[in-house]
Amino acid sequence: MTSRPRPARIRKQPGERRAEIVRTAARIALEEALERVTLRRVADELGVRPGLVGHYFPAAGDLVSEAFTHAATGERAALLPEGERALPPSSGWPASSCGSPTASTATSAGCGSTPAT
């Protein structure tokens, strides 16, 4: 049985290594799918052992969550005009007129069925 030669070990600062892991996971998510982000897959892409990725993200769900946030933030920044990139994300969707007490407002917004006559 022959073993593969191991590449030289590169020691990185914890913040740098964590950011590298998140960037790699986000790239996999954007290029392939969020479901393809696994500790092993990220480790393979980086040329490290899965245990190293697991050190920073003990649960795969934590890695997927952070990768999604990183990818979504990057996509948001790419879509916004430069002056608005620093603004925080919206706290939610605007209030809908679907809950409005007047049926005419709700139906004109396309939220419900047409009122009975």
Side-chain angles (χ1 to χ4, degrees):
M1 177 172 161
T2 60
S3 61
R4 283 189 286 173
R6 292 187 185 156
R9 213 173 124 173
I10 300 172
R11 189 164 195 76
K12 295 184 178 181
Q13 293 296 317
E16 181 183 354
R17 179 66 78 181
R18 183 180 177 86
E20 178 184 48
I21 292 169
V22 170
R23 280 192 313 270
T24 301
R27 183 183 50 74
I28 292 169
L30 286 170
E31 291 176 359
E32 298 179 30
L34 206 53
E35 296 83 21
R36 303 287 300 195
V37 177
T38 64
L39 300 180
R40 182 174 302 282
R41 175 66 192 279
V42 172
D44 288 346
E45 292 281 324
L46 292 173
V48 300
R49 295 177 187 248
L52 178 67
V53 178
H55 172 76
Y56 290 96
F57 296 96
D62 295 339
L63 175 58
V64 170
S65 176
E66 195 158 333
F68 176 79
T69 301
H70 181 80
T73 302
E75 291 291 301
R76 178 182 177 271
L79 293 172
L80 289 175
E82 192 164 330
E84 295 180 23
R85 290 181 186 164
L87 296 175
S90 172
S91 62
W93 295 100
S96 169
S97 59
C98 294
S100 171
T102 61
S104 63
T105 305
T107 55
S108 67
C111 298
S113 60
T114 55
T117 53

